[in-house]
Amino acid sequence: MNNMKLLNKILAGLLVVALLLPVHKAFCQDTKKGRLSIAIGYFTDNNKIPYLVAKVKTKIDGRFKTIAGIPLKLFLNSDSAGNLIANVVTDDKGEASATIPASLKSRWGKMPGHSFAATFAGNDKFSEASGDLTVGKAKINIDTTSDRKITATVYAMADSVWKPVKGVDVIIAIKRMGGDLNVNETATFTTDSTGRASADFKRDSIYGDTSGNITLVAKVEDNDQFGNLSIEKTVPWGAKFVPVNTFGRRTLFATAGRAPIWLMLMASSIIITVWGILIALVINVFRIKKLGEEVEGTKTLA
């Protein structure tokens, strides 16, 4: 009887171990998976359709690195099927972007502020993860005067009315190919109680297009309340750019056959000098060798 009880206890213990083993194995596998960090950025250009940029990264060897190929679901306000903005996959920079679709326009227009969520379901390498962002609805305007003064105004939606916002840092600059150029020595300007930030244009000698037009830009970057806002305006404040056709003329950046004469003479003289020195060294080596043979022959005769 005692043996039977002991056998039953052993069988019960083995059954418990068999049931817990898969759970323990799955838990161990899950702890070995990497953890992702998901950040969401909110952008509005020229007060038009806003869009989101989700960035995914993970910590490897103590450093954060972006991860490509991560599928994400972007949601507006809540992570339900009816609030899905888009299904996206991160690119080589670990980023994925999506505009807010027209199907969510009614939900977007009802409230002065919204929250966004990005979710990842997990895979063999990484555990499930999510990120969120809450922003208020805002816009930015830009105005100019004849004396070349630029004013950017920031508004936020409150009680269904656009109201000016105080204390927002605004970048007022000139849009260029290699990046934005400040309009003067000040990099950022802060809005006052009327929501305005003003700057004097002091880049009078800057080149524009063939008509002298340049593009001004006013931006709010990574603001905790409103995200990223930007607006552009074209003004005729630049110097006219007159393209000069140098094709077929001797210029510094022309092909070898059309290089400047002085450059060709300089290059030729360097080449001739170097080769002349090398040839002289070889001739002198043969002379020294011949002289050594003559001296050796004289010693032999003596």
Side-chain angles (χ1 to χ4, degrees), residues 132-201:
D132 58 73
L133 173 71
T134 301
V135 295
K137 195 180 297 182
K139 67 178 182 179
I140 183 170
N141 292 335
I142 185 171
D143 297 296
T144 57
T145 60
S146 57
D147 58 349
R148 301 192 175 188
K149 188 172 185 177
I150 309 161
T151 301
T153 309
V154 179
Y155 298 94
M157 177 67 73
D159 300 326
S160 301
V161 179
W162 290 107
K163 295 184 179 180
V165 184
K166 180 183 178 181
V168 178
D169 291 334
V170 181
I171 298 173
I172 301 177
I174 308 164
K175 192 173 183 179
R176 310 301 285 176
M177 291 287 290
D180 298 332
L181 177 66
N182 298 332
V183 293
N184 55 39
E185 64 277 1
T186 305
T188 59
F189 305 84
T190 304
T191 58
D192 57 18
S193 58
T194 63
R196 295 186 178 92
S198 300
D200 295 320
F201 183 82

Side-chain angles (χ1 to χ4, degrees), residues 4-152:
M4 185 62 68
K5 289 182 178 180
L6 180 61
L7 181 61
N8 288 336
K9 289 181 179 180
I10 293 173
L11 290 175
L14 291 174
L15 181 61
V16 171
V17 171
L19 292 174
L20 292 178
L21 186 60
V23 176
H24 175 72
K25 185 177 180 181
F27 177 78
C28 292
Q29 288 178 348
D30 188 65
T31 55
K32 292 179 181 179
K33 290 183 179 181
R35 294 183 178 181
L36 296 179
S37 173
I38 304 176
I40 305 175
Y42 172 82
F43 297 82
T44 302
D45 296 334
N46 292 315
N47 300 322
K48 295 182 179 179
I49 300 175
Y51 65 95
L52 303 177
V53 176
K55 191 168 185 177
V56 178
K57 57 185 179 180
T58 188
K59 209 169 192 178
I60 300 176
D61 296 331
R63 292 186 177 183
F64 280 105
K65 295 184 179 180
T66 56
I67 305 297
I70 300 297
L72 300 174
K73 288 185 176 182
L74 302 178
F75 295 95
L76 172 65
N77 293 333
S78 64
D79 56 351
S80 60
N83 290 328
L84 179 65
I85 296 175
N87 290 301
V88 295
V89 179
T90 57
D91 57 16
D92 293 338
K93 297 180 180 179
E95 296 180 352
S97 61
T99 57
I100 298 176
S103 59
L104 296 177
K105 184 178 180 181
S106 58
R107 294 181 179 87
W108 175 256
K110 287 181 180 179
M111 301 173 62
H114 294 279
S115 61
F116 301 96
T119 61
F120 169 60
N123 58 19
D124 295 338
K125 293 183 179 179
F126 301 101
S127 304
E128 63 180 31
S130 64
D132 58 73
L133 173 71
T134 301
V135 295
K137 195 180 297 182
K139 67 178 182 179
I140 183 170
N141 292 335
I142 185 171
D143 297 296
T144 57
T145 60
S146 57
D147 58 349
R148 301 192 175 188
K149 188 172 185 177
I150 309 161
T151 301

Side-chain angles (χ1 to χ4, degrees), residues 264-277:
M264 296 178 69
L265 291 174
M266 182 182 294
S268 300
S269 62
I270 293 173
I271 293 171
I272 292 171
T273 301
V274 172
W275 276 104
I277 293 172

Side-chain angles (χ1 to χ4, degrees), residues 148 150 172-184 200-217 233-242:
R148 301 192 175 188
I150 309 161
I172 301 177
I174 308 164
K175 192 173 183 179
R176 310 301 285 176
M177 291 287 290
D180 298 332
L181 177 66
N182 298 332
V183 293
N184 55 39
D200 295 320
F201 183 82
K202 296 183 179 180
R203 302 285 184 180
D204 298 328
S205 59
I206 193 169
Y207 278 101
D209 59 15
T210 55
S211 300
N213 293 321
I214 59 173
T215 301
L216 300 176
V217 59
K233 183 176 183 178
T234 302
V235 293
W237 293 352
K240 292 183 179 181
F241 175 74
V242 181

